[in-house]
Amino acid sequence: MEMDVKSIARGLAENIEKVLVGKHRTVELVLTALLAGGHILVEDVPGVGKTTLANALAKTIDCGFTRIQFTPDTLPSDVTGVSVYNMQSGSFTFSKGAVMNNIILADEINRTSPKTQASLLEAMEESQVTVDGTTYPLPSPFMVIATQNPVDYLGTYNLPEAQLDRFMLKLSIGYPASEDECTMLALYISAEPLNELQPVVDGETVLAMQKAVREVGVHPDIMEYIVQVVAATRTHGSLSLGASPRASIALAHAAQATAAIQGRDFVIPDDVKGMVAPVIYHRLVLTPEARLGHQTAKTVMDEILSKCKVPVL
């Protein structure tokens, strides 16, 4: 790696943590997904800083930010855009949808209909949208941060497995520790820190960092280890649905980003292990018997990891 991803990432994290106090691991995971070119699903209770996190990230990297508040009546065209007839010219012109920006906060994504949820699939996978047969590229960098509330199920539509698989990471922010909440109160009691947040880098630097991350070396034994871990989920007796090949790719890219953030130009087994929870857990579906036996994705993956031989580089 020619550029110092570690020091730049540290500066990005410190800037975001000016408004999201005491959540270093969460910020680190968000930066990992950003540098790996992935998307994030944040499942957490209201008021813990999901919107603040997305907005702070956009400000820190000096990129455009759009918040889409999903409701049952949100239409796919609100997301992707629509062709509007111009009476003066006698032709159709494309009116951009909310997704045509760098950082997209898809707020309460499980509150909208499956048809509208699906309007994000092409954007997330191919960084483009197709409207009336015409394809429009999305700006770079591009990242979707979707949120959903885990305690309120009234009027919600669970994301299908195909869409969950599009999210590289799933995480939660959680309540802050008492001392961190006191620090946060002191910050917010007389000012709005988010309004004062200054950019640290620009979008071009982020793209260069993403390119550097893809150049991080992954030893063939590490690749085999990743495949071994992911493939084991497909034959495990407690799982009715295991992780896909997309999960293998996501785990490898997340491990590359982890290594780069830690200042290495090669991946080690601990990089892979550390990303198993946010990358793999949300892609697994437990059997009814496993749920009755109080098993979780964590217990299943702990068992799989204990049986997979860790490569010695």
Side-chain angles (χ1 to χ4, degrees):
M1 289 184 300
E2 294 181 2
M3 70 184 309
D4 189 356
V5 175
K6 179 180 179 180
S7 62
I8 299 173
R10 186 188 300 120
L12 297 177
E14 289 172 354
N15 201 54
I16 295 172
E17 287 174 52
K18 290 177 182 177
V19 297
L20 196 72
V21 181
K23 294 298 176 183
H24 180 74
R25 179 57 178 165
T26 300
V27 173
E28 190 178 66
L29 286 173
V30 170
L31 293 177
T32 299
L34 175 69
L35 298 185
H39 309 286
I40 294 177
L41 177 62
V42 185
E43 185 176 82
D44 220 324
V45 296
V48 292
K50 299 186 291 289
T51 303
T52 300
L53 173 63
N55 207 336
L57 175 65
K59 283 178 175 283
T60 297
I61 62 175
D62 198 21
C63 284
F65 172 72
T66 300
R67 178 177 181 268
I68 310 173
Q69 179 59 60
F70 281 109
T71 58
D73 60 350
T74 303
L75 299 174
S77 58
D78 297 330
V79 177
T80 60
V82 64
S83 295
V84 180
Y85 183 69
N86 188 324
M87 295 184 66
Q88 291 181 334
S89 64
S91 61
F92 286 91
T93 56
F94 176 64
S95 177
K96 291 182 178 180
V99 79
M100 304 289 284
N101 217 330
N102 300 107
I103 306 296
I104 309 299
L105 175 62
D107 213 4
E108 296 186 297
I109 191 172
N110 58 334
R111 285 208 171 278
T112 196
S113 68
K115 187 175 183 180
T116 304
Q117 290 173 358
S119 66
L120 278 170
L121 288 176
E122 183 185 11
M124 292 172 64
E125 187 67 18
E126 301 168 46
S127 294
Q128 65 183 33
V129 293
T130 303
V131 179
D132 294 335
T134 304
T135 299
Y136 303 92
L138 298 175
S140 294
F142 174 73
M143 183 183 192
V144 173
I145 301 177
T147 74
Q148 60 182 17
N149 187 341
V151 295
D152 185 3
Y153 296 107
L154 188 63
T156 61
Y157 304 85
N158 290 335
L159 288 174
E161 282 72 26
Q163 187 142 10
L164 284 172
D165 202 38
R166 256 55 169 212
F167 290 100
M168 176 176 280
L169 307 182
K170 182 183 178 184
L171 52 90
S172 63
I173 297 174
Y175 291 119
S178 297
E179 58 270 23
D180 293 328
E181 196 161 358
C182 287
T183 303
M184 186 175 61
L185 276 177
L187 285 173
Y188 282 86
I189 202 79
S190 59
E192 182 53 62
L194 194 59
N195 294 337
E196 300 167 9
L197 209 61
Q198 297 298 314
V200 175
V201 298
D202 57 13
E204 291 300 318
T205 305
V206 173
L207 293 176
M209 292 173 74
Q210 290 178 341
K211 184 175 183 294
V213 164
R214 292 298 172 93
E215 293 170 357
V216 170
V218 185
H219 193 276
D221 288 352
I222 295 285
M223 294 185 199
E224 188 176 331
Y225 178 60
I226 290 171
V227 171
Q228 184 184 3
V229 169
V230 174
T233 66
R234 301 168 195 160
T235 56
H236 197 284
S238 297
L239 298 174
S240 59
L241 178 67
S244 66
R246 186 188 281 122
S248 301
I249 296 169
L251 187 55
H253 286 163
Q256 284 179 301
T258 300
I261 289 172
Q262 294 180 2
R264 281 181 278 103
D265 60 359
F266 59 92
V267 172
I268 62 175
D270 282 348
D271 297 330
V272 177
K273 284 184 174 181
M275 296 309 300
V276 163
V279 173
I280 302 295
Y281 286 8
H282 66 281
R283 304 172 193 266
L284 307 179
V285 178
L286 293 164
T287 62
E289 294 80 12
R291 287 197 297 270
L292 285 171
H294 303 291
Q295 284 191 275
T296 63
K298 182 182 186 307
T299 60
V300 171
M301 287 310 302
D302 285 347
E303 180 188 335
I304 287 173
L305 288 171
S306 70
K307 292 180 179 178
C308 291
K309 184 179 178 182
V310 180
V312 180
L313 303 182

